[in-house]
C-alpha cells in the first residue's frame, strides 16, 4: 500500500477540539513532526480537515 508523509506546520493551540483529535489520530503531537500514513480515503479526509495545520511532504 502506498504511504504519504504528513508534517505538522502550525500549532494546535486555539484549534477546535475535533481538529485536535484529528491531529492525534494522525499521530501528530509537535510542530515539525513528520508521520507516515497510508494513502487511503480516511486519511485523506483527516488531512483535508486540518489542511491549514499540516502539509504533505514529498
Amino acid at each position: 500500500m502506498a504511504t504519504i508523509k504528513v508534517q505538522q506546520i502550525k500549532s494546535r493551540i486555539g484549534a477546535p477540539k475535533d481538529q485536535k483529535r484529528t491531529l492525534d489520530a494522525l499521530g501528530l503531537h509537535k510542530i515539525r513532526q513528520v508521520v507516515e500514513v497510508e494513502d487511503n480515503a480516511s486519511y485523506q479526509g483527516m488531512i483535508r480537515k486540518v489542511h491549514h495545520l499540516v502539509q504533505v511532504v514529498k
Side-chain angles (χ1 to χ4, degrees):
M1 187 112 219
T3 60
I4 54 175
K5 292 183 180 181
V6 182
Q7 180 180 24
Q8 184 175 347
I9 57 169
K10 285 190 145 186
S11 174
R12 64 175 57 215
I13 296 173
K17 284 185 180 182
D18 61 332
Q19 291 178 3
K20 291 179 183 181
R21 289 188 198 123
T22 303
L23 288 173
D24 288 337
L26 285 169
L28 294 168
H29 303 287
K30 295 181 176 182
I31 296 176
R32 300 202 193 280
Q33 181 180 5
V34 178
V35 295
E36 195 167 336
V37 296
E38 291 182 20
D39 188 12
N40 59 31
S42 62
Y43 281 115
Q44 289 291 337
M46 286 191 238
I47 292 168
R48 208 172 304 118
K49 183 170 188 142
V50 293
H51 66 92
H52 57 288
L53 301 175
V54 301
Q55 76 178 22
V56 176
V57 180
K58 298 292 177 183

